[in-house]
Amino acid sequence: MGLFEKAGAGLIEKNPKEPAMPGYSEPPNRLTDPYGRFMRMSDVEETVGLKRSKIYELMNDPVDPFPSPIHIGKVSRWVEREIIAWKEKRLQMARRYALSE
């Protein structure tokens, strides 16, 4: 029934802060973590729609380089917020170019 449960003749509002299932907790709020998550290459590929080789090529772009990964031990991870910011910038550049034609 969503936020309401039947109780006798009327409806009672559920506490929205209570987890939907016992033992289940909500994922971290993106607002409390401004950087988002650390992403694997496969996640980055899926997010930007490009293959690994093109992503590494774009990291060397002198005009608008793709974000570099951070290294945690021997593992490379990309910061989600940096990937999103790069995508937003690319979209703005593409739209400005399309309007100028």
Side-chain angles (χ1 to χ4, degrees):
M1 295 211 97
L3 289 174
F4 298 93
E5 286 184 336
K6 268 191 173 176
L11 294 174
I12 298 175
E13 186 174 345
K14 284 185 183 179
N15 182 352
K17 297 208 184 257
E18 288 180 20
M21 299 182 303
Y24 173 80
S25 62
E26 294 293 324
N29 185 339
R30 298 283 185 201
L31 296 176
T32 59
D33 184 3
Y35 299 104
R37 61 193 176 108
F38 292 142
M39 302 171 71
R40 294 178 170 176
M41 175 54 88
S42 59
D43 298 327
V44 174
E45 288 177 310
E46 185 178 325
T47 300
V48 297
L50 300 170
K51 293 293 182 186
R52 174 185 312 261
S53 58
K54 185 64 176 177
I55 290 169
Y56 279 110
E57 181 184 321
L58 289 170
M59 289 169 69
N60 295 318
D61 184 340
V63 177
D64 184 28
F66 193 82
S68 296
I70 61 169
H71 301 282
I72 305 168
K74 294 181 180 182
V75 177
S76 296
R77 294 291 185 259
W78 282 260
V79 178
E80 183 178 38
R81 182 65 220 150
E82 292 176 358
I83 303 300
I84 292 168
W86 180 85
K87 283 176 58 176
E88 289 170 348
K89 185 176 178 184
R90 282 290 197 168
L91 280 169
Q92 289 172 358
M93 288 170 48
R95 289 189 176 133
R96 267 189 254 138
Y97 178 76
L99 290 174
S100 69
E101 289 185 331

